[in-house]
Amino acid sequence: MSTSVSQTSIPKHFDPASVEEKWYRFWEENGFFHSEPDDRESYTVVIPPPNVTGVLHMGHMLNNTIQDVLVRRARMLGKNACWVPGTDHASIATEAKVVQKLRKEGITKADLTREEFLEHAWEWTDEHGGIILQQLRKLGASCDWERTRFTLEDDLYESVIDCFIELYDRGYIYRGKRMINWDPEAQTALSDEEVIHREEQSKLYHVRYRIKNSAEWVTIATTRPETILADTAVCVHPEDERYQNLIGKTAIIPIVEREVPVIADEYVDMEYGTGCLKITPAHDENDYQIGQKHDLEIIDMLNPDGTLSEAAEHYIGSDRFEARQRIIDELEEREQLVDTEKINNKIGYSERTDAVIEPRLSLQWFCRMDELSRPAHENVMNDNIQFHPAKFKNSYNHWMENIRDWCISRQLWWGQRIPAWYYGHGKDDYVIAKTENEALEKAREKSGTPSLGRDDIRQDEDVLDTWFSSWLWPITVFDGIKDPDNEEINYYYPTDDLVTAPEIMFFWVARMIIAGYEFRNEKPFSNVYYTGIVRDSQRRKMSKSLGNSPDPIKLMEQYGADGVRAGMLFSSPAGNDLLFEEQLCEQGRNFANKIWNAFRFLSMNKKEETDYSPELRIDESNLVDRWMFSRLHETIDAINNDMESFRINEALHKIYSLIWDDFCDWYIELIKADERGAKIPADRLARGLNFFEQLMKLLHPFMPFITEEIWQHIRPRETGEAMIVASWPQFDSTAVSEDDQALFGTIQRIISAVRNIRAEFKMSPNDEIELLINAKDKQTEEAFRQNSWIFEKLQTIARFEVKAGLSKPGTSASAVVEGSEIFVPLEGFVDIEKERERIQKEINRLEGFLKSVEGKLSNEGFINNAPEAVVQREQNKKQDTETNLEKLRGILSELTA
RNA sequence: GGGCGAUUAACUCAGCGGUUUAGAGUGCUUCCCUUACAAGGAAGAAGUCGCAGGUUCGAAUCCUGCAUCGCCCA
């Protein structure tokens, strides 16, 4: 055995750790990730910006792997690929974290001025921000890091404020008192989208209220008995016969002993509860509507932190849930609690703090959506912007048709501060202005008080919803708001593909589309690829709180970034959830190792480390070359189609199978040297390595590190010849030959049949056999004869004979493959009974098949209606099967010994 | 309550335009450390494609209903 240097220097197992950092630095340092506008076609992706203080989780892994696959392929296709990374300031989440950290240090937010608090927040951001971006590098993400943006940096801040002012001027933004979703933990308003509704088992309390000046009672049902303290009416359905006599009377609220009217409204559902509703206009959206209609008093009984306010009169200062229990107890004591019913109802929780949401009447800023959203609605429905998979158009459509105004103010400090300035206490005593000076001027004018000074105006304390900044992301990363006609925005916008989770379709995707049309009069991207949600084996969503998510960094250390990438993509078609198991990564790692060893083997066969020069032409006289060439191009075409329709896992499966099943299992086996220990002849090796290079190109978007490593090893390359910028293989339809593939396929099946015989009769691969083939016809005989070397290479054969009309030798194991009879003489070896069983089994299989084919052909409807080609195909199948069966039966009859 | 989706081998999943008695990975059985790879090779077993109807020459695939599960919205 030869012991060349190369053979010993390449390790048997691929070690990802040793190459990943090296190549990542190489790519980055040589500017391959960086994009500048030029003459080429642009391909642009903006990253869904992760929370600035977040850490990488499996969802990011999947999402960013997919983006990287798209971007790398586009780059190889010669496009000017630009993937813009960045982070989101995530106001609620980040502010909550900072508040928590300060609390540990004994500082409460109330002790600090806004400026002091923001200093702490920035400190925190500087410390933790960007960790996630560092982690993305480990994954191989080919982002243009020079373009990294942050939603709260100065330029983006200013852009958001400009947009607010613009929308205000266009009449879309208004300030209004509305029922909003209040998060008592974060002490801020939330948009409807930030509330998660969960169905829970809870109780419906039936409470009776006394009717004034009467012995009568009226029984209401409520799930939130504490709000009784703020009731200002009792309501029944106007047609409810049970309660006709009560309408117009006065009921007395228990505990507070307040007198309230009994009113009638069609809103009441007579079937639900007692059919009698208590009305609390300050703490329920629907009650508020009824309150407005009937001009009811509004009593706000809650403090911002969820404790009871003075207005509650009782239990002042106690928490809402504590108060609930105490009120239940008191009602029971007073014998006014008549029943407790178990029911399922939906309870809203804060997406960020998980606190139970309180509907609360509050003065907030809103963005009117009806008109604004129209182009965004249309252009998705008409496929101007395509969703992948398209099924998500349905939910988009539904949301758009029922779109509600967007509550955009948040009672937080971390974010873009609302540019509203108040000069009085009246509802309209404010101006919208970019600067204090401008505000002062406007305020003087609007109020008609030229003497107003700086101290007379104060800016709104609140900030804007984070999504009000990220909806501009595809525009602001190219400074398209501040500088609407700059070269970059004109070149990169609209971007091409957006990869994100369906969970944020409304939060983000829909709003980006809205902003795109409003501020650029153009879509922000052409395709939206929705990934699935990464779940654990129990189908639970992976989350930090459950602790069921593996640490992606550790996973990559264990299986290699390539292994994890491939593992995640194997089973995650667009929009389908991914049940993540480490086994998937194992499959990816094993694949990398397989490729590594194919490379190692080919390298071992080079005479010198550097003696390889590519041979781009195949050996036309060699069936194996022609077959591999055909398979390669067939696959290039298929992968291109898959990628263009975002079937990324399909594309990966195809390249996986081409490399492993075709190239490793057959092609490499067949280019091996004829003699033991000898090297592969140089010309064969050159062609083999050329195929290998093409395969590495096709795989590169999926597994960037190992492909670059091998690419650079195969032969010396200039920096500009790196894999990352290599050209994507061009599909050549003339390379695809059905005949070559059919012939090679037949040979493969004959080899398999022989292997099966060996296995059945417990022969070792090294036992010499004779292989005799009675070819179907002269033409087949000639084809097999020409390619006899293939049989001899893959089997240990003492004698090979092929002839049309060859008669069956004495005792032998047999098989029939596509009309040709295969004989392996096994004097003394063969167990006749066993051979009979084998043949009989095959006969049974073919008979079953024949029956189904005959079934079709005997159906007149099929003959008359099916396309001619289909009928013809069935007829061919019938004939072929009959021929095979006939031969097998002949073989079987001779076995009656 | 409204909408969307899923149900395919023991497990996790593909299956795009209707037509080789349904594919992959894992697991399982048998054999093999055969001149790269045991993280490997060879052979094999394994599925009435959730149920019931319908359309069609032909249905895992299209339609309707049902069951179970999931997601989104109110």
Side-chain angles (χ1 to χ4, degrees):
Chain A
M1 191 201 275
S2 130
T3 51
S4 70
V5 179
S6 56
Q7 189 169 351
T8 48
S9 63
I10 302 176
K12 220 170 162 180
H13 284 170
F14 177 58
D15 176 23
S18 66
V19 307
E20 290 178 358
E21 212 191 314
K22 172 180 75 179
W23 290 119
Y24 200 84
R25 198 179 316 127
F26 170 81
W27 294 326
E28 192 172 1
E29 281 173 2
N30 287 291
F32 292 128
F33 299 159
H34 183 60
S35 166
E36 290 289 335
D38 62 21
D39 295 339
R40 289 175 294 165
E41 185 188 343
S42 70
Y43 174 81
T44 316
V45 170
V46 293
I47 203 169
N51 290 358
V52 66
T53 60
V55 291
L56 199 65
H57 59 65
M58 296 310 289
H60 295 125
M61 292 285 282
L62 177 61
N63 180 277
N64 287 288
T65 298
I66 291 166
Q67 289 176 72
D68 198 44
V69 170
L70 296 174
V71 169
R72 283 182 185 268
R73 178 165 176 274
R75 195 179 285 122
M76 292 176 77
L77 283 168
K79 295 182 187 172
N80 186 349
C82 182
W83 182 8
V84 184
T87 46
D88 187 291
H89 64 281
S91 32
I92 300 181
T94 307
E95 181 152 332
K97 276 184 199 162
V98 175
V99 167
Q100 205 173 18
K101 180 214 163 208
L102 290 174
R103 199 180 296 150
K104 276 186 199 147
E105 295 167 7
I107 307 168
T108 61
K109 189 181 158 190
D111 296 338
L112 302 173
T113 65
R114 184 184 194 103
E115 284 65 35
E116 284 166 345
F117 178 83
L118 288 177
E119 246 173 69
H120 283 286
W122 276 107
E123 212 173 277
W124 174 271
T125 299
D126 292 339
E127 197 179 318
H128 298 266
I131 290 178
I132 192 162
L133 298 183
Q134 286 303 325
Q135 291 177 315
L136 280 178
R137 290 163 201 253
K138 294 229 178 336
L139 182 65
S142 60
C143 302
D144 186 350
W145 298 110
E146 293 172 44
R147 295 182 175 276
T148 306
R149 305 306 294 257
F150 176 44
T151 53
L152 209 53
E153 69 183 59
D154 291 347
D155 283 343
L156 276 72
Y157 194 119
E158 200 183 329
S159 299
V160 170
I161 298 303
D162 286 349
C163 287
F164 181 96
I165 293 170
E166 183 131 7
L167 287 176
Y168 180 81
D169 290 342
R170 291 180 196 171
Y172 290 115
I173 287 183
Y174 63 90
R175 188 168 177 244
K177 196 165 198 183
R178 295 275 214 84
M179 190 64 65
I180 48 94
N181 307 294
W182 184 257
D183 178 343
E185 175 114 6
Q187 299 200 27
T188 177
L190 299 179
S191 70
D192 295 331
E193 287 70 33
E194 285 164 307
V195 180
I196 298 168
H197 295 275
R198 286 203 288 263
E199 184 154 306
E200 283 181 14
Q201 212 182 55
S202 54
K203 288 172 185 162
L204 190 62
Y205 299 94
H206 295 233
V207 181
R208 55 178 192 165
Y209 293 5
R210 182 182 295 283
I211 298 295
K212 191 182 175 188
N213 299 332
S214 137
E216 283 179 285
W217 297 83
V218 59
T219 303
I220 59 91
T222 179
T223 54
R224 297 192 301 159
E226 72 280 11
T227 60
I228 281 174
L229 304 177
D231 280 357
T232 54
V234 168
C235 186
V236 298
H237 195 280
E239 281 156 30
D240 195 330
E241 288 176 8
R242 296 171 293 179
Y243 302 121
Q244 287 300 320
N245 62 322
L246 294 180
I247 298 171
K249 291 193 175 164
T250 298
I252 298 168
I253 306 297
I255 303 174
V256 281
E257 304 292 341
R258 181 168 42 245
E259 296 183 3
V260 302
V262 178
I263 59 172
D265 195 289
E266 282 168 0
Y267 167 76
V268 178
D269 178 358
M270 292 189 274
E271 307 296 316
Y272 188 80
T274 60
C276 192
L277 204 61
K278 68 189 216 43
I279 303 294
T280 326
H283 299 287
D284 183 276
E285 169 77 50
N286 297 311
D287 289 13
Y288 178 69
Q289 303 293 343
I290 294 172
Q292 290 294 92
K293 202 164 145 191
H294 297 269
D295 205 20
L296 298 173
E297 189 188 350
I298 296 169
I299 300 172
D300 183 351
M301 54 164 277
L302 281 177
N303 291 314
D305 65 356
T307 57
L308 272 55
S309 69
E310 305 254 329
E313 296 178 31
H314 291 69
Y315 306 111
I316 295 165
S318 60
D319 180 76
R320 54 194 166 141
F321 296 114
E322 186 199 331
R324 175 179 301 175
Q325 192 51 53
R326 287 170 64 184
I327 286 169
I328 292 164
D329 294 344
E330 183 171 345
L331 288 171
E332 206 155 10
E333 264 168 46
R334 300 168 63 125
E335 295 183 350
Q336 283 186 279
L337 182 67
V338 295
D339 194 13
T340 305
E341 189 184 342
K342 276 187 187 164
I343 56 146
N344 288 327
N345 75 338
K346 291 251 173 116
I347 295 176
Y349 288 86
S350 164
E351 202 221 356
R352 290 296 173 196
T353 65
D354 209 37
V356 174
I357 293 303
E358 282 298 332
R360 186 162 187 248
L361 205 54
S362 166
L363 200 52
Q364 302 283 345
W365 291 93
F366 292 88
C367 186
R368 196 157 56 77
M369 298 302 276
D370 46 4
E371 251 173 74
L372 210 53
S373 63
R374 214 161 288 145
H377 189 191
E378 278 168 21
N379 282 290
V380 168
M381 296 324 288
N382 67 17
D383 284 337
N384 212 341
I385 296 170
Q386 288 189 15
F387 281 7
H388 306 274
K391 66 179 180 187
F392 286 114
K393 271 169 78 175
N394 291 323
S395 3
Y396 183 86
N397 185 42
H398 187 256
W399 190 76
M400 279 296 190
E401 277 178 349
N402 299 286
I403 197 158
R404 295 161 60 161
D405 288 355
W406 177 13
C407 175
I408 54 174
S409 43
R410 296 290 179 276
Q411 286 63 54
L412 301 166
W413 283 343
W414 180 242
Q416 286 92 359
R417 190 170 179 181
I418 294 172
W421 307 75
Y422 304 94
Y423 56 80
H425 293 282
K427 192 163 109 351
D428 297 319
D429 293 349
Y430 66 83
V431 293
I432 301 298
K434 198 166 174 180
T435 63
E436 192 180 23
N437 285 340
E438 198 185 317
L440 193 56
E441 221 167 280
K442 282 187 174 174
R444 281 174 181 156
E445 197 176 316
K446 190 171 173 188
S447 66
T449 317
S451 62
L452 279 182
R454 264 167 219 288
D455 293 342
D456 299 321
I457 61 170
R458 62 200 153 77
Q459 189 178 357
D460 197 311
E461 287 295 323
D462 294 347
V463 300
L464 289 160
D465 180 7
T466 305
W467 301 103
F468 195 85
S469 67
S470 49
W471 74 329
L472 302 173
W473 186 244
I475 304 173
T476 47
V477 295
F478 301 114
D479 294 319
I481 297 289
K482 287 182 64 188
D483 187 4
D485 200 26
N486 79 70
E487 188 194 7
E488 301 222 324
I489 189 83
N490 288 335
Y491 182 70
Y492 293 114
Y493 191 95
T495 72
D496 294 88
D497 302 334
L498 178 82
V499 181
T500 192
E503 307 170 281
I504 54 173
M505 190 189 321
F506 310 128
F507 276 114
W508 194 46
V509 179
R511 287 171 183 162
M512 272 192 288
I513 300 173
I514 293 170
Y517 284 106
E518 182 64 16
F519 296 109
R520 298 294 308 177
N521 203 20
E522 174 65 285
K523 61 186 173 185
F525 30 70
S526 301
N527 294 288
V528 183
Y529 178 106
Y530 291 102
T531 66
I533 295 165
V534 184
R535 299 177 180 280
D536 69 6
S537 52
Q538 294 167 55
R539 292 188 182 274
R540 296 176 307 180
K541 191 175 160 181
M542 282 189 173
S543 74
K544 234 197 287 176
S545 51
L546 274 174
N548 59 347
S549 173
D551 176 354
I553 300 296
K554 280 192 188 139
L555 269 186
M556 287 191 281
E557 279 165 8
Q558 204 175 344
Y559 298 102
D562 289 331
V564 178
R565 290 167 64 115
M568 304 209 68
L569 293 177
F570 275 132
S571 93
S572 82
N576 279 19
D577 287 359
L578 168 67
L579 262 68
F580 184 81
E581 286 176 300
E582 279 201 27
Q583 275 186 343
L584 288 169
C585 297
E586 213 169 299
Q587 192 190 346
R589 179 200 61 180
N590 292 355
F591 183 40
N593 197 51
K594 183 73 184 177
I595 296 164
W596 182 250
N597 278 288
F599 157 69
R600 179 167 167 259
F601 177 69
L602 295 176
S603 296
M604 277 161 48
N605 282 277
K606 286 198 273 184
K607 289 198 183 69
E608 305 288 336
E609 285 284 352
T610 57
D611 75 340
Y612 164 69
S613 60
E615 178 49 71
L616 299 174
R617 284 167 310 163
I618 61 163
D619 177 357
E620 288 291 348
S621 70
N622 185 338
L623 171 67
V624 178
D625 254 31
R626 297 198 309 269
W627 162 77
M628 189 67 220
F629 194 48
S630 180
R631 281 287 297 128
L632 172 67
H633 280 275
E634 182 182 57
T635 309
I636 292 170
D637 190 36
I639 289 178
N640 285 342
N641 288 331
D642 285 338
M643 292 302 295
E644 272 145 38
S645 36
F646 294 88
R647 293 191 295 257
I648 292 175
N649 67 318
E650 289 284 323
L652 176 59
H653 270 113
K654 280 169 190 153
I655 182 65
Y656 177 92
S657 168
L658 183 66
I659 290 175
W660 200 313
D661 302 336
D662 296 312
F663 188 72
C664 292
D665 288 351
W666 294 92
Y667 188 81
I668 289 188
E669 287 307 319
L670 286 166
I671 64 168
K672 279 183 175 173
D674 301 324
E675 288 167 52
R676 212 181 160 83
K679 290 197 168 181
I680 299 174
D683 59 330
R684 272 195 237 163
L685 180 64
R687 285 189 289 270
L689 281 165
N690 180 53
F691 274 131
F692 199 40
E693 285 194 349
Q694 304 305 309
L695 296 175
M696 290 303 95
K697 284 184 179 183
L698 291 174
L699 184 63
H700 181 259
F702 306 94
M703 301 176 82
F705 293 109
I706 189 172
T707 48
E708 183 77 76
E709 171 75 7
I710 287 174
W711 178 257
Q712 299 283 352
H713 258 109
I714 288 179
R715 54 190 161 113
R717 317 263 179 185
E718 301 293 324
T719 303
E721 296 171 334
M723 171 97 272
I724 188 175
V725 286
S727 60
W728 183 255
Q730 183 114 35
F731 170 59
D732 174 3
S733 62
T734 64
V736 180
S737 160
E738 279 180 34
D739 289 348
D740 290 336
Q741 289 201 38
L743 177 58
F744 191 75
T746 306
I747 294 174
Q748 285 178 307
R749 279 183 283 279
I750 292 174
I751 301 282
S752 291
V754 176
R755 283 172 176 161
N756 176 272
I757 288 169
R758 279 188 190 271
E760 291 289 338
F761 293 104
K762 308 257 185 259
M763 299 171 67
S764 109
N766 293 324
D767 290 335
E768 283 201 327
I769 55 160
E770 290 180 24
L771 176 57
L772 311 177
I773 302 176
N774 175 15
K776 179 171 71 174
D777 51 37
K778 259 302 188 214
Q779 202 191 333
T780 310
E781 174 192 323
E782 194 44 44
F784 288 168
R785 197 191 307 286
Q786 265 177 23
N787 293 291
S788 60
W789 67 276
I790 299 177
F791 298 98
E792 283 162 347
K793 187 140 217 151
L794 296 174
Q795 284 291 317
T796 314
I797 293 175
R799 184 166 74 97
F800 178 77
E801 198 181 329
V802 56
K803 207 175 167 211
L806 178 138
S807 54
K808 184 178 188 292
T811 325
S812 61
S814 327
V816 176
V817 176
E818 287 157 37
S820 296
E821 290 176 295
I822 317 301
F823 302 116
V824 179
L826 292 168
E827 317 284 335
F829 234 121
V830 100
D831 172 345
I832 303 279
E833 202 40 49
K834 185 168 190 169
E835 177 65 2
R836 283 177 56 87
E837 270 171 35
R838 272 186 67 239
I839 302 292
Q840 188 61 54
K841 200 175 130 198
E842 178 67 2
I843 289 173
N844 292 346
R845 191 183 71 84
L846 288 181
E847 277 175 348
F849 181 59
L850 186 62
K851 213 170 142 191
S852 82
V853 174
E854 279 173 338
K856 280 184 207 170
L857 286 170
S858 65
N859 183 337
E860 254 178 68
F862 176 74
I863 303 286
N864 296 333
N865 297 320
E868 207 178 316
V870 173
V871 176
Q872 186 58 47
R873 202 168 355 173
E874 292 303 310
Q875 255 150 8
N876 292 346
K877 274 197 245 170
K878 177 172 186 260
Q879 262 171 19
D880 292 348
T881 309
E882 278 171 345
T883 311
N884 289 352
L885 266 174
E886 197 181 313
K887 294 186 171 162
L888 282 165
R889 289 193 183 114
I891 289 167
L892 187 66
S893 71
E894 281 186 41
L895 280 170
T896 31

